[in-house]
Amino acid sequence: MSRLNIAITGFGGIGRKVAELLSVRAERYRQQFDLDVRIVGVCGSSAGLIEEDGLTPEALADRSSYTPGLSGDTFIEQVPADLLIEASPTDFRTGGAALGYIRTAFRRRMHVIAISKGALVHDFPGLHAQASRQGLALKVSGAAGSAMPTVDLVQYNLAGCEVKSLSAIVTGTTNIILSEMMDRECSFADALAEAQRLGIAESDPTLDTHGWDTACKIAILCSAAFGDVIDVQAMKRQGIDHVTLDDVRRWKAQGVMPRLVGRVDRSAGVCDASVGIELCGPDHPFARAHGRAKAVHVVTDLMGELTLTGGGSSPYGTAAAALKDLEHILRDTRLAPRLRSL
């Protein structure tokens, strides 16, 4: 049996869910892939843990055993991993710590599964080129829709046709807030407070509510699925923080449902991307994508129109998307010889 060593950077809430699911699926990997998958290192912003023989769930839970300073370059240069799962906080302006983790991982010949969006938005072409030169995988499902398979939908399921346009609800926080405002006829502040009470919205929700999260995910989708580079900061972008109770009452009277939608128009052969509020009638599938649910609608040249709804926002959904990427890597026959030689 071969062995695959995994490292996780940005070991916070999502990273812990990834580790939990890896433990649960360990026997599945043994049976299906004849592979012993082990977590050999994790780190947060200021401390980390490395164990070449593998870290048990008990060891991962014991924060007192983490080594202060074992983070950043120190961690990624030392960890004996074959694959990195990167889940650091998003910094799309500079790429943040994630950019260094991913670049060094490729230099050290690790495959990468990116959950954090910042590095991908900042330099997807460069990271993709670096991975390609090394014959390594760069997978991004957890960064561009998570439980809603946007990148996979275009790359795999629609590979036999041309996508003319795509629109998607990819930020669960904004969908929950808008749904709460319409259901309860309440203010933005009240709906946000409820989303924060439920643990869905961050204490600083501006990345989501100002439309940046949706813009980042749409930019990653354009890069990963279509090969087009989008400048997020130049993208036409509208958030939801300006929505008032008067807007809610007017929309309810009109019988429409507001949704924050990322849109990609490829009619000219390149991605023209934007983010904004769209008002959906009762028969529109996006109107039925309620609360945590997400949705994607594509128009193709040969397969017609397709709509997928569901994939609600949750830490486990994001973690599962990352492990879906892992299984895609394990099933890729081009990478199998390298895995067998580990």
Side-chain angles (χ1 to χ4, degrees):
M1 179 178 293
S2 300
R3 179 169 153 184
L4 179 69
N5 289 345
I6 291 179
I8 304 174
T9 49
F11 194 61
I14 299 298
R16 291 184 177 279
K17 296 297 187 295
V18 171
E20 180 183 338
L21 292 184
L22 282 170
S23 178
V24 169
R25 296 184 182 185
E27 185 58 32
R28 171 179 172 176
Y29 297 139
R30 291 188 185 97
Q31 293 182 2
Q32 189 168 352
F33 300 105
D34 193 31
L35 200 61
D36 180 6
V37 176
R38 300 188 190 186
I39 299 173
V40 295
V42 301
C43 78
S45 60
S46 60
L49 194 60
I50 292 176
E51 175 51 63
E52 189 170 359
D53 290 334
L55 292 163
T56 65
E58 293 75 20
L60 291 171
D62 182 10
R63 296 309 295 261
S64 67
S65 66
Y66 284 50
T67 302
L70 187 56
S71 183
D73 291 341
T74 303
F75 174 84
I76 199 67
E77 290 285 0
Q78 294 182 21
V79 66
D82 308 297
L83 183 146
L84 172 69
I85 298 177
E86 210 305 300
S88 298
T90 289
D91 180 347
F92 64 88
R93 291 180 175 86
T94 69
L99 187 61
Y101 283 133
I102 296 173
R103 284 175 172 168
T104 302
F106 287 145
R107 181 173 55 78
R108 296 195 59 214
R109 298 199 54 76
M110 299 179 201
H111 302 296
V112 173
I113 295 171
I115 297 174
S116 175
K117 296 176 285 292
L120 302 175
V121 172
H122 185 73
D123 187 24
F124 186 96
L127 295 174
H128 181 264
Q130 188 179 0
S132 297
R133 285 195 301 270
Q134 299 279 8
L136 299 169
L138 172 60
K139 298 290 186 180
V140 300
S141 291
S146 298
M148 173 59 60
T150 52
V151 174
D152 288 344
L153 179 65
V154 177
Q155 283 186 329
Y156 294 96
N157 303 95
L158 301 178
C161 62
E162 181 180 348
V163 174
K164 295 293 188 182
S165 66
L166 179 148
S167 55
I169 301 169
V170 289
T171 302
T173 299
T174 55
N175 213 45
I176 290 168
I177 292 172
L178 290 174
S179 296
E180 282 284 311
M181 292 181 73
M182 295 296 288
D183 289 349
R184 294 167 46 206
E185 200 168 311
C186 66
S187 68
F188 171 82
D190 287 344
L192 171 59
E194 177 64 11
Q196 289 172 326
R197 186 189 70 80
L198 294 172
I200 297 163
E202 301 285 347
S203 56
D204 179 1
T206 53
L207 189 69
D208 294 326
T209 60
H210 290 188
W212 288 114
D213 182 74
T214 297
C216 286
K217 290 173 178 175
I218 291 298
I220 293 168
L221 172 68
C222 287
S223 293
F226 302 119
D228 287 344
V229 178
I230 299 293
D231 182 349
V232 166
Q233 299 191 66
M235 187 187 301
K236 182 179 179 182
R237 173 188 49 81
Q238 177 188 39
I240 66 168
D241 54 308
H242 66 285
V243 175
T244 66
L245 192 52
D246 286 340
D247 293 326
V248 168
R249 289 169 176 157
R250 183 174 66 256
W251 293 334
K252 286 177 74 75
Q254 294 171 349
V256 295
M257 187 66 69
R259 294 289 183 248
L260 188 68
V261 175
R263 182 170 290 278
V264 179
D265 181 356
R266 299 192 71 249
S267 58
V270 295
C271 291
D272 181 14
S274 62
V275 175
I277 291 177
E278 297 191 9
L279 303 179
C280 305
D283 295 330
H284 195 291
F286 284 7
R288 298 190 290 274
H290 201 71
R292 295 172 183 255
K294 300 177 183 179
V296 60
H297 176 79
V298 292
V299 179
T300 73
D301 59 343
L302 300 175
M303 296 185 184
E305 299 187 23
L306 300 94
T307 302
L308 180 64
T309 61
S313 292
S314 76
Y316 280 113
T318 302
L323 296 197
K324 172 189 67 178
D325 284 345
L326 173 60
E327 296 212 13
H328 282 170
I329 291 173
L330 298 181
R331 290 171 180 167
D332 191 329
T333 56
R334 292 178 295 108
L335 301 177
R338 179 174 184 272
L339 293 177
R340 285 197 296 270
S341 67
L342 293 176

Short mmCIF file of all heavy atoms in Angstrom, two decimals, residues 190-229:
data_model
loop_
_atom_site.label_atom_id
_atom_site.label_comp_id
_atom_site.label_asym_id
_atom_site.label_seq_id
_atom_site.Cartn_x
_atom_site.Cartn_y
_atom_site.Cartn_z
N ASP A 190 -30.78 43.94 11.02
CA ASP A 190 -31.42 42.84 11.77
C ASP A 190 -31.12 41.49 11.12
O ASP A 190 -30.85 40.51 11.81
CB ASP A 190 -32.93 43.06 11.84
CG ASP A 190 -33.32 44.18 12.80
OD1 ASP A 190 -32.47 44.56 13.62
OD2 ASP A 190 -34.46 44.66 12.71
N ALA A 191 -31.18 41.43 9.79
CA ALA A 191 -30.91 40.17 9.09
C ALA A 191 -29.45 39.76 9.26
O ALA A 191 -29.14 38.58 9.44
CB ALA A 191 -31.26 40.32 7.61
N LEU A 192 -28.54 40.73 9.21
CA LEU A 192 -27.12 40.44 9.41
C LEU A 192 -26.88 39.92 10.82
O LEU A 192 -26.14 38.94 11.02
CB LEU A 192 -26.29 41.69 9.16
CG LEU A 192 -24.81 41.61 9.53
CD1 LEU A 192 -24.11 40.50 8.77
CD2 LEU A 192 -24.13 42.96 9.28
N ALA A 193 -27.51 40.56 11.81
CA ALA A 193 -27.34 40.12 13.19
C ALA A 193 -27.81 38.68 13.36
O ALA A 193 -27.17 37.89 14.08
CB ALA A 193 -28.11 41.05 14.14
N GLU A 194 -28.89 38.31 12.72
CA GLU A 194 -29.38 36.93 12.80
C GLU A 194 -28.41 35.97 12.13
O GLU A 194 -28.13 34.88 12.66
CB GLU A 194 -30.76 36.82 12.15
CG GLU A 194 -31.35 35.42 12.10
CD GLU A 194 -31.62 34.82 13.48
OE1 GLU A 194 -31.54 35.56 14.48
OE2 GLU A 194 -31.89 33.61 13.54
N ALA A 195 -27.87 36.36 10.99
CA ALA A 195 -26.89 35.50 10.30
C ALA A 195 -25.63 35.33 11.15
O ALA A 195 -25.04 34.25 11.18
CB ALA A 195 -26.54 36.10 8.94
N GLN A 196 -25.24 36.37 11.86
CA GLN A 196 -24.08 36.27 12.74
C GLN A 196 -24.40 35.42 13.96
O GLN A 196 -23.56 34.62 14.41
CB GLN A 196 -23.62 37.67 13.17
CG GLN A 196 -22.98 38.46 12.04
CD GLN A 196 -22.70 39.90 12.40
OE1 GLN A 196 -23.48 40.52 13.15
NE2 GLN A 196 -21.62 40.47 11.86
N ARG A 197 -25.61 35.54 14.48
CA ARG A 197 -26.01 34.71 15.63
C ARG A 197 -25.98 33.23 15.27
O ARG A 197 -25.60 32.38 16.09
CB ARG A 197 -27.42 35.10 16.09
CG ARG A 197 -27.87 34.38 17.36
CD ARG A 197 -29.33 34.65 17.66
NE ARG A 197 -30.19 33.99 16.69
CZ ARG A 197 -30.51 32.69 16.74
NH1 ARG A 197 -30.02 31.92 17.69
NH2 ARG A 197 -31.31 32.16 15.83
N LEU A 198 -26.35 32.91 14.03
CA LEU A 198 -26.35 31.53 13.57
C LEU A 198 -24.95 31.02 13.23
O LEU A 198 -24.78 29.85 12.92
CB LEU A 198 -27.26 31.39 12.35
CG LEU A 198 -28.76 31.63 12.58
CD1 LEU A 198 -29.50 31.67 11.24
CD2 LEU A 198 -29.34 30.56 13.49
N GLY A 199 -23.96 31.93 13.28
CA GLY A 199 -22.60 31.53 12.97
C GLY A 199 -22.32 31.45 11.48
O GLY A 199 -21.33 30.83 11.06
N ILE A 200 -23.16 32.06 10.66
CA ILE A 200 -23.01 32.01 9.21
C ILE A 200 -22.22 33.21 8.71
O ILE A 200 -21.28 33.06 7.93
CB ILE A 200 -24.40 31.96 8.54
CG1 ILE A 200 -25.13 30.68 8.96
CG2 ILE A 200 -24.27 32.03 7.02
CD1 ILE A 200 -26.61 30.71 8.71
N ALA A 201 -22.59 34.40 9.17
CA ALA A 201 -21.87 35.61 8.77
C ALA A 201 -20.70 35.85 9.71
O ALA A 201 -20.78 35.58 10.91
CB ALA A 201 -22.81 36.81 8.77
N GLU A 202 -19.59 36.35 9.17
CA GLU A 202 -18.41 36.67 9.96
C GLU A 202 -18.69 37.91 10.82
O GLU A 202 -19.61 38.69 10.55
CB GLU A 202 -17.22 36.96 9.04
CG GLU A 202 -16.85 35.81 8.12
CD GLU A 202 -16.13 34.69 8.86
OE1 GLU A 202 -15.71 34.90 10.02
OE2 GLU A 202 -16.00 33.60 8.27
N SER A 203 -17.86 38.08 11.86
CA SER A 203 -17.99 39.28 12.69
C SER A 203 -17.75 40.53 11.85
O SER A 203 -18.37 41.57 12.08
CB SER A 203 -17.02 39.23 13.86
OG SER A 203 -15.69 39.05 13.40
N ASP A 204 -16.83 40.44 10.87
CA ASP A 204 -16.67 41.49 9.86
C ASP A 204 -17.16 40.90 8.53
O ASP A 204 -16.43 40.20 7.85
CB ASP A 204 -15.21 41.93 9.73
CG ASP A 204 -15.03 43.00 8.66
OD1 ASP A 204 -16.03 43.42 8.04
OD2 ASP A 204 -13.87 43.40 8.42
N PRO A 205 -18.41 41.18 8.17
CA PRO A 205 -19.02 40.53 7.01
C PRO A 205 -18.80 41.25 5.70
O PRO A 205 -19.38 40.87 4.67
CB PRO A 205 -20.51 40.56 7.37
CG PRO A 205 -20.66 41.87 8.08
CD PRO A 205 -19.36 42.09 8.84
N THR A 206 -17.98 42.30 5.67
CA THR A 206 -17.92 43.17 4.50
C THR A 206 -17.43 42.46 3.25
O THR A 206 -17.82 42.83 2.14
CB THR A 206 -17.05 44.40 4.78
OG1 THR A 206 -15.77 43.99 5.25
CG2 THR A 206 -17.70 45.29 5.84
N LEU A 207 -16.55 41.46 3.38
CA LEU A 207 -16.09 40.73 2.20
C LEU A 207 -17.29 40.13 1.46
O LEU A 207 -17.33 40.12 0.23
CB LEU A 207 -15.12 39.62 2.60
CG LEU A 207 -14.39 38.91 1.46
CD1 LEU A 207 -13.40 39.84 0.78
CD2 LEU A 207 -13.67 37.65 1.96
N ASP A 208 -18.27 39.66 2.23
CA ASP A 208 -19.47 39.09 1.64
C ASP A 208 -20.48 40.17 1.24
O ASP A 208 -20.95 40.20 0.09
CB ASP A 208 -20.15 38.14 2.63
CG ASP A 208 -19.32 36.91 2.93
OD1 ASP A 208 -18.61 36.44 2.03
OD2 ASP A 208 -19.38 36.42 4.06
N THR A 209 -20.82 41.05 2.17
CA THR A 209 -21.92 41.98 1.94
C THR A 209 -21.60 43.07 0.94
O THR A 209 -22.51 43.65 0.34
CB THR A 209 -22.38 42.62 3.27
OG1 THR A 209 -21.28 43.34 3.86
CG2 THR A 209 -22.86 41.54 4.24
N HIS A 210 -20.32 43.37 0.72
CA HIS A 210 -19.94 44.35 -0.29
C HIS A 210 -19.74 43.71 -1.67
O HIS A 210 -19.36 44.41 -2.61
CB HIS A 210 -18.67 45.08 0.12
CG HIS A 210 -18.87 46.02 1.28
ND1 HIS A 210 -17.90 46.89 1.71
CD2 HIS A 210 -19.93 46.20 2.11
CE1 HIS A 210 -18.35 47.58 2.75
NE2 HIS A 210 -19.58 47.18 3.01
N GLY A 211 -19.97 42.42 -1.77
CA GLY A 211 -19.90 41.74 -3.07
C GLY A 211 -18.53 41.22 -3.43
O GLY A 211 -18.36 40.60 -4.50
N TRP A 212 -17.53 41.41 -2.56
CA TRP A 212 -16.17 40.98 -2.90
C TRP A 212 -16.06 39.46 -2.98
O TRP A 212 -15.36 38.93 -3.85
CB TRP A 212 -15.17 41.51 -1.87
CG TRP A 212 -14.90 42.98 -1.95
CD1 TRP A 212 -15.21 43.93 -1.02
CD2 TRP A 212 -14.27 43.69 -3.03
NE1 TRP A 212 -14.82 45.17 -1.45
CE2 TRP A 212 -14.23 45.05 -2.68
CE3 TRP A 212 -13.73 43.29 -4.25
CZ2 TRP A 212 -13.67 46.03 -3.50
CZ3 TRP A 212 -13.17 44.26 -5.08
CH2 TRP A 212 -13.14 45.60 -4.70
N ASP A 213 -16.71 38.76 -2.06
CA ASP A 213 -16.62 37.29 -2.07
C ASP A 213 -17.16 36.73 -3.38
O ASP A 213 -16.54 35.86 -4.00
CB ASP A 213 -17.39 36.71 -0.88
CG ASP A 213 -17.30 35.19 -0.82
OD1 ASP A 213 -16.24 34.68 -0.46
OD2 ASP A 213 -18.30 34.52 -1.16
N THR A 214 -18.32 37.21 -3.79
CA THR A 214 -18.88 36.76 -5.07
C THR A 214 -17.96 37.11 -6.22
O THR A 214 -17.73 36.29 -7.12
CB THR A 214 -20.27 37.38 -5.29
OG1 THR A 214 -21.16 36.93 -4.26
CG2 THR A 214 -20.84 36.99 -6.64
N ALA A 215 -17.41 38.33 -6.21
CA ALA A 215 -16.51 38.76 -7.29
C ALA A 215 -15.28 37.86 -7.35
O ALA A 215 -14.84 37.46 -8.44
CB ALA A 215 -16.11 40.21 -7.09
N CYS A 216 -14.72 37.52 -6.19
CA CYS A 216 -13.53 36.65 -6.16
C CYS A 216 -13.86 35.27 -6.74
O CYS A 216 -13.08 34.71 -7.54
CB CYS A 216 -13.03 36.50 -4.74
SG CYS A 216 -12.19 37.95 -4.06
N LYS A 217 -14.99 34.72 -6.34
CA LYS A 217 -15.35 33.39 -6.83
C LYS A 217 -15.61 33.39 -8.33
O LYS A 217 -15.25 32.43 -9.03
CB LYS A 217 -16.58 32.88 -6.06
CG LYS A 217 -16.27 32.55 -4.61
CD LYS A 217 -17.52 32.22 -3.81
CE LYS A 217 -17.16 31.86 -2.37
NZ LYS A 217 -18.35 31.64 -1.53
N ILE A 218 -16.24 34.43 -8.82
CA ILE A 218 -16.49 34.53 -10.27
C ILE A 218 -15.16 34.68 -11.02
O ILE A 218 -14.97 34.09 -12.10
CB ILE A 218 -17.43 35.71 -10.57
CG1 ILE A 218 -18.84 35.40 -10.04
CG2 ILE A 218 -17.49 36.00 -12.07
CD1 ILE A 218 -19.52 34.20 -10.66
N ALA A 219 -14.23 35.45 -10.46
CA ALA A 219 -12.92 35.60 -11.10
C ALA A 219 -12.17 34.27 -11.15
O ALA A 219 -11.54 33.94 -12.16
CB ALA A 219 -12.09 36.65 -10.37
N ILE A 220 -12.23 33.51 -10.05
CA ILE A 220 -11.57 32.20 -10.02
C ILE A 220 -12.21 31.27 -11.04
O ILE A 220 -11.52 30.53 -11.76
CB ILE A 220 -11.65 31.60 -8.60
CG1 ILE A 220 -10.79 32.43 -7.63
CG2 ILE A 220 -11.17 30.15 -8.61
CD1 ILE A 220 -11.02 32.08 -6.18
N LEU A 221 -13.53 31.31 -11.13
CA LEU A 221 -14.24 30.49 -12.11
C LEU A 221 -13.79 30.83 -13.52
O LEU A 221 -13.52 29.94 -14.34
CB LEU A 221 -15.75 30.70 -11.97
CG LEU A 221 -16.63 30.06 -13.04
CD1 LEU A 221 -16.60 28.55 -12.94
CD2 LEU A 221 -18.05 30.59 -12.94
N CYS A 222 -13.69 32.12 -13.82
CA CYS A 222 -13.26 32.53 -15.17
C CYS A 222 -11.85 32.04 -15.47
O CYS A 222 -11.57 31.59 -16.59
CB CYS A 222 -13.33 34.05 -15.29
SG CYS A 222 -15.01 34.72 -15.40
N SER A 223 -10.97 32.10 -14.48
CA SER A 223 -9.59 31.65 -14.69
C SER A 223 -9.52 30.14 -14.82
O SER A 223 -8.89 29.61 -15.74
CB SER A 223 -8.71 32.11 -13.53
OG SER A 223 -8.56 33.50 -13.51
N ALA A 224 -10.16 29.42 -13.88
CA ALA A 224 -10.03 27.97 -13.83
C ALA A 224 -10.79 27.27 -14.95
O ALA A 224 -10.31 26.29 -15.53
CB ALA A 224 -10.51 27.45 -12.48
N ALA A 225 -11.98 27.77 -15.26
CA ALA A 225 -12.83 27.08 -16.23
C ALA A 225 -12.67 27.61 -17.65
O ALA A 225 -12.82 26.86 -18.61
CB ALA A 225 -14.29 27.19 -15.79
N PHE A 226 -12.38 28.91 -17.79
CA PHE A 226 -12.33 29.51 -19.13
C PHE A 226 -10.96 30.03 -19.53
O PHE A 226 -10.74 30.40 -20.69
CB PHE A 226 -13.34 30.66 -19.21
CG PHE A 226 -14.75 30.27 -18.92
CD1 PHE A 226 -15.44 30.84 -17.86
CD2 PHE A 226 -15.41 29.32 -19.68
CE1 PHE A 226 -16.75 30.49 -17.57
CE2 PHE A 226 -16.71 28.95 -19.41
CZ PHE A 226 -17.39 29.54 -18.35
N GLY A 227 -10.03 30.11 -18.58
CA GLY A 227 -8.69 30.59 -18.89
C GLY A 227 -8.59 32.08 -19.05
O GLY A 227 -7.60 32.58 -19.61
N ASP A 228 -9.58 32.83 -18.57
CA ASP A 228 -9.57 34.29 -18.70
C ASP A 228 -9.19 34.94 -17.37
O ASP A 228 -9.66 34.53 -16.31
CB ASP A 228 -10.95 34.81 -19.12
CG ASP A 228 -11.26 34.50 -20.58
OD1 ASP A 228 -10.32 34.17 -21.32
OD2 ASP A 228 -12.44 34.58 -20.96
N VAL A 229 -8.36 35.97 -17.41
CA VAL A 229 -7.94 36.69 -16.22
C VAL A 229 -8.88 37.87 -15.99
O VAL A 229 -9.10 38.68 -16.89
CB VAL A 229 -6.49 37.19 -16.35
CG1 VAL A 229 -6.09 37.98 -15.12
CG2 VAL A 229 -5.55 36.01 -16.55
#
